[in-house]
Each structure stands twice: as C-alpha cells, then as structure tokens.
Amino acid sequence: MSEVQVVRGEMQPWTDHTTPRPALAALLTDVVPANRRTLILGPHAPQLIESVLAHSADVAILVRSVADAQQLGEDFGPCLQVIAGALDGLQTEPYDVIIASDGLDRVLGYDSSDLSWSARLAAVSALAAPDAVVVLGLENEFSLLNLLDSRPADERHGDDEWRPLHDDPTRPVSVDQLKSALPWASEVYADFGSRTFVRADVAATAGPGELPTRLAGAALESVDAPLLSPAAEGVDTAARAGLLPAIPTAWLAIVGAQPPHDLYTQTADTVLTATQTLTGWDTTITGDPNSTSVLAFDPSVVPSTIASGVSVESVLFRLASAEDVPAFRKLAADLGEWVTTSRVIVRWDDVIYDGDSFAYGVSGWVAEDSIEKEDLLAAAWARFHDRLIGQHRRHPWPPWMLGDDLVSAWLGMSGVEAPEPTQATSPDTLPATTEQVARGKELAAALDAVLETSTTTVDVRTALTEAEEAKQELFELKGHVYGLERTLGFRNKAMKTRENRIRELRGQLQRLTTAHERIRGSRTYAVSRVIFHAAQVRKPKVVARKLARKIDRRIRKR
Amino acid sequence: MHHHNHYYGQTHILSRYAGFDFDHPPRLRGYLQHGWNIGCGWNPVHEFYDGAWRFTWSDAPKRRGHSLGRRNYHSIGAPFLYLMELEPEKEEPVEREGTLWFLFHGWEGGKIHGDHQRLIDEIRETEPGPVTFSLYYTEYDRPEVRGFYEDAGFRVVSFGRRGFSYEGTDRRFLFKQLAELRKHKRVAANRLSTAIFYGIAAGCEPAVYGDPMEMDGENPLFGGQSRIERLWPEMLGKTVDLEAARATTDLELGKPWMMPPAELRSLFDWRERV
C-alpha cells in the first residue's frame, strides 16, 4: 500500500461511486501519451486508471474521499500516487496530461469554496502544462434523458449536492459552448450513457437508423432512469435534425491529441471502434468477451467493413406505421431469402438495408451451435414484435393477433410455412403458432438479456398509454359484446323466419294429408283404383279366361 | 359478425380459402366490405359497433374512413380475387364472345329510374357482339324492367340475391358471376361499379357508358358521378385503355393486399377453438 497524500478539502467519511466504462478506457488508451507526468482528476473506475497506467509510470490521482484514496492506494500500490483532497487544495507543478473524464462536478469538498464550473476549469488549466493533453468530461444539462426525466428539478440530481451544481450559468450546455469555454482547441465526443462515444461532427451528420444513431439509441435505452417518455423516438428526431451531438448524456473534450476512431462503443466485454469511410465504416474489436449466457459475443463474426445505410427495422417501422402491408410483405420476403442457417443471431435493428440489399451490422452475438434459418427468423421477428408493440408504434394488426400469431404471420411473409391449425381440446390449448415461434422467442429473450437494454423503470408516457389502452380494450370489448348481441339478434331473426316457414310448411302438409285421407276414403277413389288396376292388365284375354274358370269351379261346387 | 358480411357469399368464399367450411363460415370479427364504392367501403350511414375492425378490399377506403374518425382498418383484397384463386380458369378456356352488360342496380331499399329504351339503343349501337344483360333481382323481378331487355333480344340473367339477416343469400352468387364473366369478351355498365372491376379482373375488356340512371333515396355521398370522372377517368368510355384499367382494378380490388390462408385465419380470429 502506498502512502496517501492529503491536501486541503478532503472528505471523510465519503465515497464516490464509479462504474467501469470500457469504451472510455479504449478511447483513453488511444489518446494518453506515453510516459508523461499525468494527473487523473476526480473519481475514476480502476479499469480507467489501468488504461492510463499502461502508458505512463508517473501518474497521480486526486480524489476528494479519503476512503476512496486509501482503497486506491491498496489496489494500485506504489505505481499510483494517490492524493486525497479538493481541486482547489492541490498546489503542484503543472502536469503534461490531465484526465478529468468524470468532469468537474466531483472535485470539490464540503470545505471548498463555492467555485463555479468555469472557476474549476480555470483551476484545471492552472495545473496543465502549456502543451498538455487534457481529457475533460461534462455532464449535459440539455441531454435527452435530462429533458425527459420525470423527476422535478429538486430531485433530479439526488440529494448529494450540498451546493447546487447544475444551474450554474457558466456551465456549457452545447458542443459550441464547451469548445468556446475551453482555453484550448479541442475535439469533442458525444457520450451516450457512458457506453457509446461518437465524434461530435460525425454524430451531427448521422441520420435515423444509421450506425451512430442506432448505437446512441441502444446506449440510452440501457440507462435506468425514470423518464416521461422513451428516449428512442427523441434520438431519431434529433438525428433527423442533425442534433445528435446536442443530446448525449455528456461530452468528452480532448485537447492535445487526436483519437484515431470516430466511434467507440461497448459490446459485451469488448469495445468496438469504428471509423467512417466514404462507403461505410471500418471496424475493430478489442477485448476478450466472456461467455456467461446462452449467447456469446464473437468478435470474428463482426464484419471489418460495415456498409452505410439504415437499419431494416427503421424501414419496417415506417411501413407498419403507413399500414403498407404489401411493401412490408415484400421486404419480409426479401429478408426471408437473405437469412441463412447460422450461429449469428439476426436482429432487424442491426441489419443494414440500402434499399436493395442487406448486410450484417456490428452485433456479434452468436449461439453455441448453428441455428436453423426458421428459428433465426422467428427470433428476429419476435424481437421486432416486442419493439414495435413495446414502443407503441402505429401498425395495422388487430389486438387479438398480437403475440405469437403475428410473429407467425411475419414468418409466413418471410417464406416460413405456417403450422397446420390443430383442433383445441380445452380452452387453454395453445395455438399451433406458439410452438412454431417458441425457439425464436427464447433466442430473442437471451439477446435482450445480454444487450442489457431492458430497464425495470417504466416511463410515464408508457404507463399512461398502457392505462389508456386498457380503457380502450374495455371499450372495444364492450363493443364486441354489443356486436355479438347484434349477431345473435340477426341469427335469432333468421331462426324466427325459418321457424315461421317450417310452421307454414307443417300447416300445408297437414291440410294436404287431410285432403289426401278424404280422397282415399271416397267411392270415387275406390272406383279409380279398380280402373287403375284394370288398366295395369297387360293380357286381358288370359285374365278373363282365368276369371271364368274360377267362377265355373265355384258354381260346380254348389 | 354483421349479416352484411355474408352478402354475395363473400365470407363463405374467405372461409373456404382459409380452410373452413364453405356453407357455414365462422363468425368474422368485424365488418367486411361487400362492394366497391367511392367512400369508405360502406354506405355513409352504416352502423358500426364501438371499436369494430373494418376489413376493406384496398387502401383507399381505409384512408377515407380514417378521415371520418374511424380506426381499426386492415385491407385484405376483394373476396372475388380469392374466389378466382379457388376457381382458376380452365386450362383451355372457352372462347369469349359478346358483352356482359350490368345495369346499375337498386337495392332492397331503392329502385332505379331512367330511360331504359334509350340505353338499349345505345348498347345496340355500341356493342359489336351478342349482349347478355345482368340484372340484380330487384330489377330482374320487375317485369316492366326485365321486359325491356328481353324484348330487345338480349339474353337476361340474374345471379341471385345477396340475402338479408343471413337468409336468402345465394352463396354461389359470385361463382355464377365469375363463370358468366369468363364467357364474355367485354364487360360494360352504365356506372363504374363493382361488376366492372370484377369483369376486368376476370379478363374482360371494360366499358362504362350510357344513362347512369337515378336511384330512390340515393345519398350524394355515396354516388357522385362527377367525383368518379375526376378520380377514375381512365375507367370511363366505350373503349378503355386496358392496361390502365387493369392497374386501377388491381388497386381498387386490393390485389397487393391479398394474404395467405394462415394469415387470414389469424386476422379474422379464426383460430383453433374448443
């Protein structure tokens, strides 16, 4: 354990929570110069500290919590100089490198002066050598998640600010303001949920459904914050407006160094970096993925070159919204032809469509063994179903069709033959489609779990929508009951018509039977029968002779 | 659900297509469009229960209905198209001859009025071959109307009744109509109507001309000849561009919206039940 140096402004007892940020660690690895006098300012996760230590032996870290400082001393030993105290208490020679990727909000103690953000920045500037490399984070007050946060202002940032930090008028709230506020020229990255970092000028040109937008949306989905409405729609709208760099959760300004990649994102335990080209993206993956679930991340299946274009999911969403089932059907059929038996899990939100052909995106999730094409398609459609319905998007399919039947219908559009309907044997008998899509749903659920995009917090709009949907369902079910009653009324009317007709026929039959009986009992009928039988005789002479012999025998007997 | 769904045996056809009994189709959970019109697919005062689903032939009626505040539409294609799949034309079709002429028909609640003699004269002047005249039973059963056409030397046919309250429906109405259309070279009518689209779908050359006549209590929202002229000029006249007419027919009958049996079963809630 190394000795912890204490300067003015230390806090005890206190601790600042940190989380590993693999994508940020990869970015730091790319920008931190080797063997320079380096200061890590503020709380940083051990993983980040390691990425700095990998480059430089002369590294100090300043944290305000004494307990955190002691822990760091224990963890890193003599290779890291640990200082406990506040930024305004640190008096030292300038540093060649300053890493303040946590920002400047957790660098003062309760005994510190009330320094504004710009005053804190000035203090950092004073610690930096003239040609220093500086990495500085800044939480974005104009972030989409902040704008959509359902908590009121007095609860937004928790109860751990003894002085409010976020209403500071000197605090930048845009990329331009941040660049202007810094005393150095800088490159700014938009930080989405600490999972995805996109170069700001690249983000500004990303459209909805394109790679940076897709990754930004997925990163924000993984943030477990109480929201007024889902962030996905806002991300797409911001992208359409060219404002994607305006709405991340934070920014990262990089001074004195040029990161080689436009995009850094965390995927499983690995980091994917991507650099924009004229036709798409060149990608690399670093890190060693750990397989702990049904699915594993296999970097080797991620293409090294990814085409530009939008996700097929965004096109399917638009077609469903337009209720353009023929075009939806055509696209589904094309997808059905494109997908083949493979280990790679197919997801429409990561299949790129250029209007003509399809290509895999950056998702490298695979199953242990090869999966049948039908099950891969079922998994893709099951995931699409959950996202279409879960995001309450417009579509033309009735409520009773949602679930397995709808997934099965889409599978049918993709060329997978529907199961033969089977006769139910009880009210709880599951339809044939349940078995057809079961494996696909398992795969979709496994993918959902490893992507960590399902948060437990339900946003207000979704809660209101679900309540409204429940009311609407009740309203429609009442209508359905009325409709059934109407049908019964029509059927009843038809039955009465038939009953009357049967009564009429019965009456006619009765009258005809009576008339028939009367006719059969009459002399006229008896005579007519004799005449009828006589008319049936074919050889009257033979009959006459037989009759004459019979009469003759009777007379002789007498 | 609604007894109109059984008109012309349309639900029966869809039932057979979906693998169910033709004579006793399952209840259809919603309303099925039973004729082409320029509105939302139903008459303007049709009753719908709350939250009802409406199954239109094509997309346009759905859009018009949406503007009326109605929701829950799904287009499926006209049952007549499904019938054509169920009853494909023979490999060696009969040689088509003459014109099957449809008089704009009234219904149980409204009779038509017009100059039948003038129409007959125009048909004689126009049609190159023999004419078969189709009358709906509302006209067929009126000797004063039917007589005009019989006396003119036309063969007069009727395909039966669409029925009411599930009673009197001629379930083979469309079968007979399809068979008759397949015998004729041309199909004609005095108004752009369902039969013209059916005729084109069945391979006839179309024509729309003559006195359109008037119907008792005709709702202007329902008719609107001038609107028809504005929207479908390619369908009107004694000779019509067949390619354009076929393209319009595919759209109006909703050919692209047709679906396979399994999907139809799900859509109509015709699933396996005890």
Side-chain angles (χ1 to χ4, degrees):
Chain A
M1 176 181 168
S2 67
E3 190 70 21
V4 172
Q5 181 188 345
V6 181
V7 298
R8 185 167 56 83
E10 86 283 8
M11 293 173 68
Q12 185 163 262
W14 182 261
T15 189
D16 284 311
H17 177 69
T18 60
T19 51
R21 300 158 80 186
L24 176 61
L27 201 157
L28 290 180
T29 300
D30 281 348
V31 298
V32 173
N35 296 321
R36 305 273 289 274
R37 183 173 144 77
T38 302
L39 172 68
I40 302 173
L41 180 59
H44 284 70
Q47 186 191 31
L48 295 171
I49 298 169
E50 282 166 10
S51 68
V52 178
L53 284 172
H55 289 73
S56 181
D58 186 5
V59 180
I61 182 167
L62 174 69
V63 290
R64 59 185 179 175
S65 160
V66 173
D68 290 349
Q70 286 172 332
Q71 187 62 50
L72 287 168
E74 283 178 23
D75 291 346
F76 288 94
C79 59
L80 179 68
Q81 183 194 355
V82 182
I83 308 167
L87 172 64
D88 58 337
L90 184 63
Q91 306 289 328
T92 179
E93 292 294 309
Y95 288 93
D96 299 323
V97 180
I98 297 179
I99 308 296
S101 57
D102 186 61
L104 300 180
D105 294 339
R106 299 198 288 179
V107 293
L108 296 181
Y110 34 62
D111 295 322
S112 299
S113 303
D114 183 12
L115 298 181
S116 66
W117 184 87
S118 58
R120 280 173 269 151
L121 176 64
V124 173
S125 176
L127 289 172
D131 58 347
V133 170
V134 179
V135 177
L136 176 66
L138 171 65
E139 195 182 335
N140 177 13
E141 293 305 298
F142 191 68
S143 77
L144 188 62
L145 293 188
N146 202 29
L147 295 173
L148 294 176
D149 200 306
S150 64
R151 293 167 296 190
D154 61 344
E155 295 174 18
R156 184 89 37 90
H157 303 289
D159 59 355
D160 57 354
E161 292 181 1
W162 44 91
R163 287 191 185 108
L165 292 167
H166 295 83
D167 60 354
D168 178 354
T170 70
R171 193 182 177 93
V173 284
S174 73
V175 173
D176 288 344
Q177 286 180 11
L178 174 59
K179 284 186 169 182
S180 301
L182 296 177
W184 317 281
S186 63
E187 182 81 65
V188 173
Y189 275 68
D191 167 5
F192 295 91
S194 297
R195 292 178 72 97
T196 295
F197 294 81
V198 187
R199 198 190 299 272
D201 51 359
V202 171
T205 58
E210 294 180 4
L211 183 66
T213 314
R214 295 200 301 271
L215 293 173
L220 293 186
E221 274 181 33
S222 67
V223 178
D224 198 3
L227 299 178
L228 293 169
S229 70
E233 192 183 322
V235 171
D236 277 353
T237 311
R240 286 172 62 193
L243 291 175
L244 202 57
I247 54 106
T249 43
W251 294 290
L252 198 70
I254 296 157
V255 177
Q258 186 67 30
H261 304 295
D262 295 323
L263 193 150
Y264 294 77
T265 189
Q266 176 185 342
T267 308
D269 296 321
T270 67
V271 174
L272 178 138
T273 56
T275 305
Q276 196 166 30
T277 65
L278 287 174
T279 55
W281 300 84
D282 287 339
T283 64
T284 52
I285 292 182
T286 53
D288 186 22
N290 294 321
S291 173
T292 53
S293 71
V294 179
L295 304 180
F297 190 83
D298 182 354
S300 69
V301 304
V302 178
S304 57
T305 303
I306 291 174
S308 58
V310 299
S311 71
V312 77
E313 180 192 67
S314 59
V315 181
L316 288 167
F317 279 156
R318 270 204 299 278
L319 294 173
S321 174
E323 302 180 18
D324 188 351
V325 179
F328 189 99
R329 190 185 305 282
K330 169 78 172 58
L331 187 53
D334 293 345
L335 285 166
E337 285 183 14
W338 177 72
V339 171
T340 54
T341 297
S342 163
R343 286 173 64 222
V344 183
I345 305 300
V346 182
R347 40 189 287 214
W348 300 152
D349 53 317
D350 193 54
V351 169
I352 300 149
Y353 183 53
D354 62 5
D356 199 30
S357 59
F358 305 105
Y360 283 108
V362 297
S363 179
W365 292 100
V366 296
E368 197 173 349
D369 300 313
S370 193
I371 302 169
E372 291 295 319
K373 170 184 174 171
E374 288 76 12
D375 290 330
L376 284 177
L377 281 166
W381 284 120
R383 178 173 170 79
F384 176 75
H385 174 277
D386 291 349
R387 289 164 69 85
L388 177 81
I389 306 304
Q391 292 172 16
H392 302 276
R393 289 177 180 272
R394 182 173 160 172
H395 66 83
W397 291 283
W400 58 80
M401 204 175 162
L402 302 187
D404 296 346
D405 275 4
L406 189 52
V407 174
S408 177
W410 291 336
L411 275 173
M413 294 178 190
S414 291
V416 179
E417 201 172 328
E420 279 297 313
T422 51
Q423 180 60 50
T425 53
S426 79
D428 301 324
T429 302
L430 295 171
T433 52
T434 300
E435 193 181 334
Q436 185 198 17
V437 304
R439 173 72 176 135
K441 283 169 72 178
E442 277 175 19
L443 292 169
L447 182 64
D448 214 28
V450 295
L451 290 175
E452 300 171 350
T453 50
S454 292
T455 58
T456 51
T457 313
V458 176
D459 64 273
V460 176
R461 184 194 287 178
T462 300
L464 288 172
T465 304
E466 285 173 355
E468 194 56 39
E469 279 176 351
K471 278 167 66 180
Q472 181 67 16
E473 188 182 357
L474 184 63
F475 174 75
E476 292 189 355
L477 283 174
K478 282 180 178 173
H480 186 48
V481 169
Y482 172 78
L484 289 170
E485 286 173 349
R486 290 280 288 154
T487 304
L488 286 173
F490 287 129
R491 295 284 188 191
N492 196 32
K493 205 169 155 187
M495 297 266 282
K496 279 181 179 165
T497 306
R498 289 187 184 191
E499 186 186 357
N500 289 337
R501 184 67 187 138
I502 290 167
R503 283 182 195 284
E504 279 174 23
L505 289 171
R506 273 191 187 147
Q508 285 175 16
L509 183 64
Q510 208 166 17
R511 283 194 296 279
L512 286 170
T513 307
T514 309
H516 188 238
E517 291 300 323
R518 196 172 58 241
I519 290 166
R520 284 177 72 94
S522 70
R523 281 173 172 270
T524 314
Y525 179 75
V527 171
S528 72
R529 293 301 296 169
V530 170
I531 294 168
F532 172 76
H533 287 302
Q536 298 292 312
V537 176
R538 290 184 180 173
K539 296 176 179 174
K541 284 182 181 172
V542 175
V543 175
R545 274 200 295 273
K546 278 185 181 174
L547 194 61
R549 277 200 296 274
K550 199 181 268 186
I551 292 167
D552 186 48
R553 275 201 294 277
R554 282 186 185 177
I555 292 170
R556 284 182 186 176
K557 277 182 186 174
R558 284 176 189 172
Chain B
M1 174 63 77
H2 197 274
H3 72 102
H4 288 190
N5 294 346
H6 281 215
Y7 279 0
Y8 312 111
Q10 287 204 121
T11 307
H12 304 74
I13 291 166
L14 294 178
S15 175
R16 183 179 145 193
Y17 178 80
F20 291 89
D21 187 28
F22 173 78
D23 288 328
H24 303 287
R27 189 185 73 248
L28 197 157
R29 191 168 174 177
Y31 294 84
L32 175 62
Q33 181 180 347
H34 61 262
W36 178 86
N37 73 16
I38 64 171
C40 69
W42 285 268
N43 79 54
V45 292
H46 194 282
E47 164 211 81
F48 294 105
Y49 66 84
D50 295 336
W53 274 75
R54 299 166 183 85
F55 301 107
T56 56
W57 293 356
S58 61
D59 197 49
K62 182 198 79 182
R63 295 196 302 268
R64 297 182 198 122
H66 196 101
S67 75
L68 296 171
R70 295 171 186 163
R71 300 293 180 267
N72 302 346
Y73 280 90
H74 199 104
S75 303
I76 63 167
F80 186 81
L81 296 179
Y82 292 90
L83 173 64
M84 288 180 62
E85 278 201 9
L86 292 170
E87 300 283 325
E89 199 161 11
K90 288 172 188 164
E91 284 185 11
E92 290 179 14
V94 293
E95 194 175 340
R96 293 170 179 253
E97 186 186 26
T99 303
L100 182 58
W101 223 100
F102 288 86
L103 180 69
F104 170 63
H105 70 74
W107 61 296
E108 291 79 354
K111 293 177 181 173
I112 58 157
H113 302 282
D115 190 336
H116 293 278
Q117 189 54 54
R118 200 173 64 190
L119 184 62
I120 287 165
D121 293 342
E122 192 169 359
I123 292 170
R124 275 186 175 146
E125 285 169 16
T126 309
E127 296 305 330
V131 174
T132 303
F133 218 86
S134 168
L135 295 176
Y136 189 49
Y137 84 94
T138 45
E139 279 75 48
Y140 190 83
D141 289 350
R142 289 169 65 196
E144 73 275 17
V145 176
R146 192 174 78 215
F148 268 114
Y149 300 97
E150 286 175 337
D151 294 347
F154 299 156
R155 174 175 159 251
V156 180
V157 295
S158 181
F159 303 123
R161 299 175 179 230
R162 65 183 185 183
F164 197 80
S165 282
Y166 304 109
E167 284 299 300
T169 300
D170 189 329
R171 295 166 189 165
R172 301 194 67 80
F173 186 111
L174 294 178
F175 288 74
K176 289 188 253 179
Q177 190 170 2
L178 175 60
E180 202 65 51
L181 284 164
R182 281 175 172 163
K183 289 181 201 164
H184 289 81
K185 200 170 181 182
R186 276 166 61 87
V187 62
N190 54 338
R191 285 197 191 192
L192 183 58
S193 55
T194 310
I196 290 292
F197 292 114
Y198 284 173
I200 296 167
C204 300
E205 296 166 11
V208 178
Y209 63 92
D211 179 4
M213 305 207 174
E214 290 176 3
M215 186 169 69
D216 287 340
E218 191 170 3
N219 192 326
L221 290 172
F222 196 67
Q225 281 299 298
S226 58
R227 196 167 123 79
I228 286 176
E229 286 162 20
R230 285 191 296 274
L231 283 175
W232 298 282
E234 74 280 10
M235 301 295 291
L236 308 178
K238 292 178 179 175
T239 52
V240 168
D241 177 352
L242 191 56
E243 199 174 328
R246 280 182 179 155
T248 301
T249 298
D250 284 350
L251 278 183
E252 293 303 315
L253 294 186
K255 196 169 185 180
W257 276 267
M258 291 176 73
M259 60 186 68
E263 195 176 327
L264 199 69
R265 284 196 293 272
S266 290
L267 185 70
F268 287 165
D269 203 16
W270 284 352
R271 64 187 72 201
E272 314 90 344
R273 289 208 167 85
V274 182

